Amino acid sequence: MKTYAIATIPGDGIGKEVIPAGQQVLQAVAEYSPGLRFHFENFDWGGDYYRLHGQMMPADGLDALRGKDAILFGSAGDPHIPDHITLWGLRLKICQGFDQYANVRPTRILPGIDAPLKRCKAEDLNWVIVRENSEGEYSGVGGRVHQGHPIEAATDVSVMTRAGVERILRFAFKLAQSRPRRLLTVITKSNAQRHAMVMWDEIAAEVAREFPDVRWDKELVDAATARMVNRPATLDTIVATNLHADILSDLAAALAGSLGIAPTGNIDPERRYPSMFEPIHGSAFDIMGQGVANPVGTFWSVVMLLQNLGEHDAAERVMQAIEYVTATPALHTRDLGGTATTAQVTEAVCGFLAAEHKRKAA
């Protein structure tokens, strides 16, 4: 019997709706997978915790997570708390505390999704974006002086280290090597950022020599946005800095049909710490409590969680259930132009898992 310890952190907004749905799907996976079990521990960290305690999570919160096999995270963001407090106090505290330096965001047009690129075939948009997740533009280095005065100044310093750049580029090349097309695009902005991004380019060329079977090219980040729209089939695996990939992955999700369906894995490739999986849609307070949030992004994050645990058969079954849901217009939530509720989509996924188990047992 394999029992995995999973931490659930719903966080804020619709995270409190989609993470319980993700737990429900994992419980269904266990029910129909002999020898597989999950033990869940829920953590009520986020905006509500901040209002009670003055911090988004306890100072020793990482210790409570350290022994888990994986983390399922909802969202961080509250309209009544400054965004830099919610982000740095919870999500980034976990990502940086556990050195989850590879942020992986798969994107493809799922069956039944009406994506905005009308000239694009589904097979033309099948990407994985690798985001450097520990330094760069989100390193947290900087400050403000003379606040409130005409001479006020503020800095945010992008910090890139050779070690950090090498490891994310090597991770991206390995990922590209594992995919059928063996194609990698390295995103840069070295024409304007003439120090750190030039180093990024130089290290990319060095690391590329270790992967002669991977075709790779380089694209300026602004040109990459146009390429994603106009020539999606020329892309496959993409690697970019913390800020650049943050922006490009939201564009990718929108091009695939909705931010509500997109997943993320914050990965420690060395497996020293638990990795964390989350939908990218944010807290979406405007629809909180209405029961209409799309849980597909969470379910796809569950797929990534299972893959990370080595449970590939279970991951494939959940992905098939997701594709069944997206291929069924009656099960589309509001963001996809439908009227289905979070609960209805969750029940449909669990029902698919049950029916598939029954079919195989027959």
Side-chain angles (χ1 to χ4, degrees):
M1 175 73 69
K2 292 182 181 178
T3 301
Y4 295 105
I6 309 296
T8 56
I9 309 175
D12 303 315
I14 61 171
K16 297 178 181 179
E17 301 170 49
V18 296
I19 294 306
Q23 180 175 337
Q24 189 175 336
V25 168
L26 278 170
Q27 288 169 328
V29 168
E31 183 176 352
Y32 305 118
S33 302
L36 179 60
R37 294 292 179 267
F38 300 100
H39 174 73
F40 298 96
E41 184 175 357
N42 188 66
F43 295 87
D44 62 347
W45 304 336
D48 291 340
Y49 189 91
Y50 179 86
R51 277 181 278 273
L52 290 173
H53 303 283
Q55 53 189 352
M56 293 290 289
M57 63 181 284
D60 61 352
L62 292 179
D63 292 335
L65 301 175
R66 200 177 303 275
K68 305 301 182 185
D69 294 300
I71 304 165
L72 188 60
F73 183 83
S75 61
D78 187 302
H80 306 295
I81 304 172
D83 287 342
H84 67 279
I85 291 177
T86 58
L87 183 64
W88 281 96
L90 185 56
R91 184 185 175 276
L92 289 185
K93 186 172 182 178
I94 297 170
C95 289
Q96 294 194 350
F98 286 154
D99 201 20
Q100 297 166 343
Y101 66 83
N103 179 278
V104 180
R105 299 190 173 191
T107 304
R108 62 184 175 91
I109 300 175
L110 296 175
I113 299 296
D114 183 22
L117 293 181
K118 302 305 180 186
R119 293 173 297 159
C120 174
K121 301 187 293 291
E123 58 268 26
D124 290 344
L125 201 165
N126 186 350
W127 307 329
V128 177
I129 298 178
V130 176
R131 169 185 174 185
E132 200 292 313
N133 207 36
S134 65
E135 53 180 38
E137 304 89 346
Y138 296 169
S139 63
V141 177
R144 293 175 67 179
V145 296
H146 309 301
Q147 292 188 44
H149 297 279
I151 59 171
E152 181 173 357
T155 61
D156 276 297
V157 181
S158 175
V159 177
M160 294 189 192
T161 65
R162 172 167 283 275
V165 174
E166 279 186 356
R167 68 183 184 176
I168 196 62
L169 288 170
R170 189 166 286 112
F171 178 90
F173 271 97
K174 286 180 180 177
L175 181 59
Q177 189 180 51
S178 73
R179 288 168 59 81
R181 296 177 67 189
R182 296 187 177 185
L183 173 66
L184 177 67
T185 298
V186 177
I187 303 299
T188 185
K189 193 56 182 169
S190 51
N191 60 338
Q193 295 174 280
R194 57 185 181 152
H195 302 299
M197 291 306 306
V198 170
M199 183 182 77
W200 170 277
D201 291 352
E202 292 171 353
I203 294 174
E206 293 170 12
V207 173
R209 290 196 284 270
E210 302 173 20
F211 300 89
D213 57 338
V214 174
R215 292 181 297 126
W216 75 286
D217 64 354
K218 188 173 66 173
E219 189 76 81
L220 295 175
V221 63
D222 43 344
T225 62
R227 181 172 167 184
M228 289 168 72
V229 174
N230 295 326
R231 296 185 293 133
T234 67
L235 297 163
D236 186 82
T237 307
I238 301 165
V239 62
T241 69
N242 216 328
L243 174 63
H244 294 164
D246 189 8
I247 296 168
L248 293 178
S249 57
D250 274 18
L251 172 60
L255 294 176
S258 171
L259 290 179
I261 63 176
T264 302
N266 301 288
I267 310 296
D268 167 28
E270 281 74 42
R271 297 182 179 272
R272 300 157 296 172
Y273 309 103
S275 294
M276 181 165 70
F277 303 87
E278 58 176 320
I280 75 168
H281 51 55
S283 54
F285 264 74
D286 57 323
I287 61 170
M288 178 185 177
Q290 299 177 32
V292 298
N294 191 342
V296 167
T298 298
F299 299 159
W300 199 345
S301 300
V302 164
V303 171
M304 298 183 72
L305 182 154
L306 290 167
Q307 290 170 335
N308 186 257
L309 294 177
E311 300 295 342
H312 298 287
D313 289 343
E316 179 60 27
R317 292 200 304 274
V318 176
M319 198 69 226
Q320 290 171 355
I322 290 171
E323 292 177 343
Y324 161 74
V325 163
T326 61
T328 307
L331 294 172
H332 286 188
T333 45
R334 184 192 299 177
D335 59 304
L336 296 176
T339 59
T341 65
T342 308
Q344 288 171 335
V345 176
T346 305
E347 290 166 5
V349 167
C350 293
F352 180 94
L353 294 172
E356 188 70 6
H357 174 73
K358 185 177 181 181
R359 183 186 67 81
K360 289 185 177 181

